Amino acid sequence: MDRGRLLQYGGLAAGVVLILFGIGALALSINAHQTVGDELSQEKIVGSPDMTPSEIEQTAQEEGLSDVEIPDCDVAEEEITTGSEARCFAKYMRIHALESSNGLTYAEMGRFVSASDPNDPAGTSDEAAAAKDEEGEPISNAARNTWVTETALSTALNVSYMASQISLFGIVVGIALVLTGIGLLILALAVFSRRDQAAAS
């Protein structure tokens, strides 16, 4: 077998391999994208009525929150079934958590309710200064616990958004591989068919 024929077969084989890899990437990515939607649908998450930019901005102002990024998306009373909707919902959840903590984040709140001011979300991490229950144990700071719960849920929602975006990227890569493989096949067939014609003449 001459060198030209070997290159032709190599080009054809490379084109076929790229197409197969592209089809595989497409299948995996489409499945991943559908899985994200299915998993979110199972949770039956629905946006609250205030999950619009105008409503949440008004609420944030009423609660005295400053330096809060207002989402530009709207999921009010919508079922969350996509990664983008999940990320949007997570942004609103953060504002809700800030409202319950008077604008304090997890790191700014103590572990326990303060005995001197039980209504202050800042609380205290000093057990001696903490409010005690009937058994004499320090009472956990509910605002801080709410923040922990919000962080866990919003992280899960943001992960679903990331998975959705990665699956979309995989779809794009899969299409690119298929097109590249087809192009390589056409190129290999065209170049070497001309070579064979030239050799015959």
Side-chain angles (χ1 to χ4, degrees):
M1 181 181 297
D2 62 16
R3 184 170 178 273
R5 187 63 64 183
L6 185 61
L7 289 174
Q8 180 183 15
Y9 289 147
L12 293 173
V16 170
V17 169
L18 284 174
I19 291 173
L20 291 176
F21 271 108
I23 292 173
L26 281 171
L28 292 173
S29 300
I30 291 171
N31 180 64
H33 193 71
Q34 291 175 340
T35 299
V36 170
D38 292 342
E39 292 296 320
L40 286 171
S41 297
Q42 288 180 4
E43 298 304 318
K44 303 187 184 304
I45 303 170
V46 178
S48 58
D50 66 339
M51 288 186 172
T52 66
S54 58
E55 288 289 334
I56 205 69
E57 184 174 14
Q58 180 180 348
T59 304
Q61 290 175 351
E62 291 173 355
E63 295 294 331
L65 299 179
S66 59
D67 298 328
V68 175
E69 181 180 353
I70 304 298
D72 57 3
C73 51
D74 183 345
V75 289
E77 300 184 9
E78 289 184 18
E79 186 177 358
I80 307 304
T81 58
T82 67
S84 297
E85 290 173 343
R87 178 164 172 74
C88 180
F89 188 89
K91 291 179 180 179
Y92 283 106
M93 281 182 60
R94 176 179 172 79
I95 297 177
H96 286 168
L98 288 169
E99 290 172 0
S100 68
S101 66
N102 289 346
L104 299 176
T105 63
Y106 173 85
E108 297 173 309
M109 292 183 280
R111 296 164 54 204
F112 312 113
V113 173
S114 174
S116 61
D117 189 358
N119 294 321
D120 184 6
T124 180
S125 291
D126 183 1
E127 292 191 25
K132 307 295 193 298
D133 59 20
E134 296 177 355
E135 298 178 354
E137 296 295 325
I139 300 174
S140 296
N141 187 347
R144 190 172 188 259
N145 293 340
T146 297
W147 189 269
V148 171
T149 302
E150 182 278 331
T151 300
L153 294 175
S154 63
T155 298
L157 291 170
N158 284 323
V159 167
S160 70
Y161 169 74
M162 180 180 68
S164 177
Q165 294 300 106
I166 291 174
S167 68
L168 290 176
F169 176 75
I171 290 173
V172 172
V173 171
I175 292 172
L177 287 173
V178 170
L179 292 177
T180 302
I182 292 173
L184 192 56
L185 287 177
I186 293 172
L187 182 63
L189 291 173
V191 169
F192 288 100
S193 65
R194 288 182 180 179
R195 177 181 176 273
D196 291 340
Q197 291 174 0
S201 60

